[in-house]
Amino acid sequence: MDKMWAGRFHKALDSTADDFNSSIHFDSRMYKEDISGSVVHAMMLARQGIITEDEKDKIVSGLTSILEDIESGKLGIDMAAEDIHMFVESELTKRIGDAGKKLHTARSRNDQVALDIRMYLLSECEEIGGLIKKLLGAIRDIASEHKNDIMPGYTHLQRAQPITFAHHVLAYGMMFSRDLDRIKDAVKRMLASCPIGSCALAGTTYNTDRAFEAERLGFTGISLNSIDGVSDRDFCVELLDAFALIMMHLSRFSEEIVLWSSWEFKFIELDDSYTTGSSIMPQKKNPDMAELVRGKTGRVYGDLMALLTTLKGLPLAYNKDMQEDKEAVFDAVDTVKKCLEVFIPMIATMKVLPDNMRLAAGKGFINATDLADYLVKKGMPFRTAYKKVGEIVAYCIENGLILENMPLEKYKEFDSAFDADLYNEISLDTCVSKRISAGGTGPDSVEAQIRYITELLND
Ligand code: ARG
């Protein structure tokens, strides 16, 4: 394909250099955004009298036919083109002749690509946001089903205090609700500065109407500085950061799924359709999907780091380095979507094993804090009660007892404040249902969390 810019050169670009320079292999996925941006650009040029109505009509119908033909498979994207912007423009000129050569008036590929990637991210963010909502729905449903199922809560991966499974999974619900918010927030900022009309870097001598273009393309404002308009990739960084956090949350959840599905825990069993076998060990049922989600988290962190590193030394305005933004952005988008698409049905179909969770919670001493609180409610200062319960725990361990089965007479030897009501106070159900503080594992708080997610989903 002849280069549009060939006029200034005496020799053709070396073919290896041409290949190295070209971005069509990856930016071709933005064909739709590129075409819709161009349609609005042509409309603006005609409104402002920069091209005629007739030229605009030719351009718009030419672009529309290109879009239809790409979508139907009739037109293949020519991988010899330098990038998607060049491809669309040359195909247009092929179809409509001279009018096509007017489309690039008062714009540059620099503002064009800055526009395209914003529009691409807008539609991907809608999709990713929809997937996060689906995930929140799945978490809400699991929580609603397991409001009364008690499991050990952990710190340092040591049994700490009893909680409900609902409360545990809702913790992830809160994290993903913030992820959703982060995407919305970054998109809001991205849409506030439509770059088109910034041209190469300095604006243009034509009497353009940037506000018209921005509004037509769904933006809320225009970039107020043309150099910033073409140089800014903050929105890519912000969104990749939001995606990295989604992955971090998915990865922590995956880690727990891997643990819970092991024979050592057996708190859940993953559905056959989301597990794999071994090529040698006939008994194996491996949580590969959860492991892969955990593993792919590194990729998305890498994409974020690659982008930040690409941008850090760039002088203003556009530099070709910026072409590297797309592969990082595309890979992060693809990875997050793929991970969510498999993670959601994986957790929605997993079998929760509440009996095993309860058994693990009942193995002793998870209610030690509650025993100390019992003494506190009888008038003992917390630090004194805490020390006394520590001594009781040590005594139980030495004598093969747990708090639930140590006889009352023995309790009374430790302190006369102990009474028969202590056993009810330290039962797992009481420990959970009496944790009435806001945000705790108690039933009112769990209901409030479920309501919060439901309202967010109805929003
Ligand atoms: N393919 C280029 C990119 O993605 C488009 C912009 C090219 N601009 C330029 N001045 N060479 O960055």
Side-chain angles (χ1 to χ4, degrees), residues 95-154:
R95 291 188 182 203
I96 66 166
D98 279 350
K101 296 182 186 167
K102 296 201 171 181
L103 174 61
H104 211 54
T105 314
R107 80 171 181 187
S108 145
R109 274 186 298 163
N110 299 349
D111 55 346
Q112 201 180 346
V113 73
L115 172 70
D116 289 4
I117 191 151
R118 279 173 169 86
M119 295 203 308
Y120 166 81
L121 275 168
L122 175 63
S123 95
E124 293 294 350
C125 282
E126 270 162 21
E127 234 183 275
I128 292 171
L131 284 165
I132 295 201
K133 283 191 161 188
K134 257 183 153 175
L135 174 60
L136 285 170
I139 288 173
R140 190 258 326 262
D141 295 346
I142 295 169
S144 307
E145 239 181 87
H146 299 283
K147 284 189 243 181
N148 301 315
D149 292 328
I150 293 176
M151 67 179 277
Y154 296 85

Side-chain angles (χ1 to χ4, degrees), residues 42 50-60 96 99 102:
I50 301 167
I51 60 173
T52 66
E53 279 296 312
D54 180 52
E55 286 163 340
K56 182 257 300 178
D57 290 341
K58 281 191 184 131
I59 291 173
V60 171
I96 66 166
K102 296 201 171 181

Side-chain angles (χ1 to χ4, degrees), residues 23 27 83 85 109-110 113 318 323 326:
S23 56
D27 67 19
D83 55 32
H85 327 293
R109 274 186 298 163
N110 299 349
V113 73
Y318 178 84
Q323 179 163 287
K326 276 168 265 349

Side-chain angles (χ1 to χ4, degrees), residues 25-42:
H25 299 279
F26 47 88
D27 67 19
S28 57
R29 73 160 80 186
M30 301 194 302
Y31 70 86
K32 216 183 292 171
E33 288 79 12
D34 196 75
I35 290 172
S36 32
S38 289
V39 166
V40 171
H41 186 65

Side-chain angles (χ1 to χ4, degrees), residues 1 4 58-59 62-63 65-66 85-104 107:
M1 202 184 228
M4 277 183 197
K58 281 191 184 131
I59 291 173
L63 288 169
S65 73
I66 291 173
H85 327 293
M86 293 288 207
F87 170 75
V88 172
E89 191 187 323
S90 69
E91 180 63 28
L92 179 70
T93 303
K94 229 189 265 170
R95 291 188 182 203
I96 66 166
D98 279 350
K101 296 182 186 167
K102 296 201 171 181
L103 174 61
H104 211 54
R107 80 171 181 187

Side-chain angles (χ1 to χ4, degrees), residues 342-358:
V342 75
F343 190 88
I344 298 163
M346 178 184 72
I347 62 161
T349 56
M350 74 186 177
K351 195 158 114 201
V352 178
L353 305 170
D355 293 348
N356 293 349
M357 290 180 178
R358 200 180 174 96

